[in-house]
Amino acid sequence: ERVRLISPVAVAAQSVDIFIADTAPKKIFKYDRATQVITTFVDVPDMGNVVELYVDRGLSVYLVDQFAAKTTQYDIDGRVLQVFRNDAELPQPVAAAVDDVQAEVFVADQLRAHALVFNRAGAVNRVVNAPKSGQTLIQSIAAMAFADNQLYLVDSVNHEVHALSPTGTYRFSFGTDELVQPGAISVDSSNRVFVADTITSSIKVYTGGLFEREIGGDSDEMKNEFQQITSLWTDSDLLYIADSINASIKIFRILPPCS
């Protein structure tokens, strides 16, 4: 199969399997990093222009489609396992994350600024409401990540990221001094948080809420490397970046943190 990426807006990976959502042909592709072979994972004829991907430890693939107002779970062979949706509470879903230990699926909504927590059968367990950061209420969720029993919500309006417990207890916020228009987010195995900034076309890196560095910024050696970062994913020591304008998925090796 000959494949040319046109508008790759989302990426997720586990081990050698890389999944790419391309909104132009309305497909999810699967790229095998070991064999360097790319194939169509599933055709999605009703795929909208704003989508995100997530892959859990069992290699289920979740496609979050904002315009279709649903999150579809596929098995490793591309068969639909479950559809998570709630027209009243998830009118504009933007991200999904899975707590593999508790077998719960989080789906965040941009408009309602909260996340619904589903069980595997598709029933709602609870709502994680947007917390208050100081005196500021979260107005819009642009992205979400879950790692090490902590939920991260990206607040694009207030230019910060909020860390919560899985039940919604507010813990801390960060990024307001550095982030201009935060978007995609991912957390690596060392709990470093990578946040894409769509205005500066760069990635801000944080540890424990403290700013570490900027990748691709004006003062960085990778200046102008990215044009439009629409999705981030970390797996093992690799950082995956979907750059839709450059029509590419870029993979960088992440160095371990200094001890």
Side-chain angles (χ1 to χ4, degrees), residues 19 29 37 39 79 82 102 113 142 167 186 194 201 207 237 256:
F19 298 90
F29 295 107
V37 173
T39 56
R79 295 183 293 257
Q82 188 60 260
Q102 299 298 326
T167 57
S186 190
F194 298 79
S201 296
T207 299
D237 61 345

Side-chain angles (χ1 to χ4, degrees), residues 5-94:
L5 297 177
I6 301 172
S7 184
V9 299
V11 62
Q14 285 285 357
S15 185
V16 298
D17 294 324
I18 305 171
F19 298 90
I20 304 163
D22 193 320
T23 57
K26 299 184 182 299
K27 295 174 181 281
I28 301 176
F29 295 107
K30 179 183 176 184
Y31 178 77
D32 187 317
R33 194 160 47 84
T35 62
Q36 298 185 355
V37 173
I38 187 168
T39 56
T40 296
F41 174 69
V42 65
D43 288 284
V44 188
D46 63 344
M47 180 186 291
N49 292 326
V50 182
V51 301
E52 184 57 286
L53 289 176
Y54 187 91
V55 182
D56 67 19
R57 291 179 184 174
L59 289 180
S60 278
V61 179
Y62 300 78
L63 174 68
V64 185
D65 192 322
Q66 181 174 338
F67 293 157
K70 65 181 180 181
T71 298
T72 305
Q73 178 188 3
Y74 300 92
D75 69 11
I76 190 58
D77 296 314
R79 295 183 293 257
V80 175
L81 293 179
Q82 188 60 260
V83 177
F84 302 92
R85 70 182 306 158
N86 187 303
D87 293 340
E89 300 299 332
L90 295 174
Q92 294 182 13
V94 292

Side-chain angles (χ1 to χ4, degrees), residues 85-112:
R85 70 182 306 158
N86 187 303
D87 293 340
E89 300 299 332
L90 295 174
Q92 294 182 13
V94 292
V98 176
D99 183 343
D100 291 288
V101 175
Q102 299 298 326
E104 291 184 324
V105 179
F106 294 76
V107 180
D109 190 82
Q110 183 180 58
L111 183 64
R112 296 300 302 272

